[in-house]
């Protein structure tokens, strides 16, 4: 896979770009199907891999947790590793970061059809502390996504001065819980009164399409008002 020069320039100047059909629809469906099995308790994974809905209110058909986030699934099963280490993904990352790359982390995302799953603008390096220009995240759609249906939102150009904006701690509503401890956990966001949405770009995508953005680019995801589960696979790389 060779990215057009326009894609490389968009990533450099706007902090993001998109690639249609990074993986095939069949590859996307395989990961999505496995996520649905995980959501219904079809696994023997350690609890440390899962962020879940309030276990006091939400249970799957087997009486277990309902995952909304699956941390580092590539460590557990080949169906995830095949995407996390996909040739197209590695090739695109090496072009965007202009050098040899290695996988940093991965996370599968499930926006439950009964939960809006609103998220807020943030920068990944506020969590990961990867140095400016050395990291890139990919967000691969496993379902069709769009406005009010879990699409990724980007504020172009917010990476340009390579500054980490002050974030504030917040709790999701409803709260997400760590399956390992059954305790609600907090996340970080850029204060909403400091976000100008006038330049926002929302990225509708089909299964297998991918968005790439720097670890300093402000991004969020849309609510899920579709009435269907929406899933994505986020995989981060960095320069070696």
């Amino acid at each position: 896979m060779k990215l057009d020069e326009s894609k490389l320039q968009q990533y450099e100047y706007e902090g993001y770009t998109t690639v249609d059909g990074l993986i095939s629809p069949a590859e996307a469906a395989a990961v999505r199907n496995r996520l649905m099995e995980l959501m219904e308790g079809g696994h023997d994974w350690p609890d440390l891999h899962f962020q879940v809905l309030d276990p006091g209110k939400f249970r799957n058909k087997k009486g277990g947790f309902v995952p909304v986030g699956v941390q580092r699934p590539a460590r557990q099963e080949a169906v995830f590793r095949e995407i996390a280490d996909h040739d197209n993904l590695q090739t695109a990352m090496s072009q965007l970061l202009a050098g040899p790359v290695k996988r940093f982390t991965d996370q599968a995302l499930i926006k439950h059809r009964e939960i809006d799953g609103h998220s807020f603008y943030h920068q990944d390096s506020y969590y990961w502390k990867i140095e400016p220009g050395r990291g890139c995240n990919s967000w691969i759609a496993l379902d069709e996504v769009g406005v009010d249906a879990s699409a990724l939102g980007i504020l172009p150009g917010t990476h340009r001065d390579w500054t980490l904006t002050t974030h504030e701690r917040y709790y999701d509503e409803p709260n997400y819980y760590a399956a390992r401890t059954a305790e609600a956990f907090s996340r970080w966001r850029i204060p909403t009164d400091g976000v100008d949405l006038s330049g926002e770009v929302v990225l509708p995508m089909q299964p297998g399409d991918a968005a790439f953005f720097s670890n300093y680019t402000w991004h969020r995801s849309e609510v899920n008002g579709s009435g269907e589960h929406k899933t994505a696979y986020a995989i981060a790389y960095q320069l070696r």
Side-chain angles (χ1 to χ4, degrees):
M1 172 170 286
K2 182 172 176 57
L3 300 182
D4 293 340
E5 185 62 29
S6 62
K7 297 288 186 184
L8 299 177
Q9 290 181 358
Q10 182 183 33
Y11 182 81
E12 180 180 357
Y13 293 109
E14 298 187 10
Y16 83 100
T17 194
T18 58
V19 175
D20 294 343
L22 182 81
I23 64 174
S24 71
E27 289 170 321
V31 177
R32 191 206 192 267
N33 291 341
R34 185 61 185 129
L35 285 175
M36 293 299 97
E37 293 172 351
L38 294 176
M39 190 175 69
E40 294 300 340
H43 65 87
D44 58 358
W45 294 22
D47 285 344
L48 61 86
H49 284 281
F50 299 104
Q51 299 165 346
V52 302
L53 296 177
D54 183 350
K57 299 178 181 178
F58 298 93
R59 293 281 175 168
N60 62 33
K61 294 177 182 178
K62 294 186 176 182
F65 298 129
V66 178
V68 289
V70 185
Q71 302 296 323
R72 302 193 178 220
R75 287 186 172 182
Q76 287 294 118
E77 292 183 2
V79 67
F80 296 100
R81 284 193 298 276
E82 289 171 1
I83 305 305
D85 297 329
H86 199 286
D87 285 346
N88 285 350
L89 179 58
Q90 292 189 44
T91 301
M93 286 289 188
S94 66
Q95 292 173 73
L96 292 169
L97 291 174
V101 296
K102 61 182 179 180
R103 175 157 50 91
F104 177 72
T105 193
D106 62 309
Q107 177 186 24
L109 309 167
I110 305 170
K111 283 203 172 182
H112 198 279
R113 63 190 173 204
E114 296 179 10
I115 304 298
D116 283 347
H118 186 79
S119 71
F120 298 90
Y121 272 105
H122 63 281
Q123 297 165 291
D124 284 339
S125 267
Y126 199 86
Y127 292 92
W128 298 340
K129 310 305 181 187
I130 296 176
E131 295 176 2
R134 295 189 58 84
C136 180
N137 197 6
S138 60
W139 195 95
I140 303 173
L142 306 177
D143 291 282
E144 180 180 359
V145 298
V147 175
D148 293 332
S150 297
L152 196 67
I154 295 282
L155 282 176
T158 45
H159 71 300
R160 287 179 190 155
D161 60 0
W162 298 112
T163 298
L164 286 180
T165 301
T166 300
H167 288 51
E168 65 182 6
R169 192 182 297 272
Y170 78 100
Y171 286 89
D172 289 291
E173 180 54 47
N175 289 344
Y176 291 172
Y177 287 70
R180 178 174 51 182
T181 62
E183 295 179 353
F185 64 88
S186 61
R187 296 201 284 180
W188 294 96
R189 68 183 179 189
I190 296 168
T192 55
D193 59 4
V195 178
D196 178 4
L197 296 176
S198 62
E200 181 179 54
V201 176
V202 176
L203 304 174
M205 290 192 282
Q206 297 294 318
D209 294 348
F212 292 85
F213 50 94
S214 85
N215 286 341
Y216 281 68
T217 302
W218 296 18
H219 63 282
R220 68 171 185 89
S221 62
E222 284 273 84
V223 298
N224 181 19
S226 69
E228 301 175 350
H229 300 313
K230 295 292 185 180
T231 58
Y233 195 8
I235 306 155
Y237 273 70
Q238 63 178 6
L239 286 171
R240 289 187 182 276

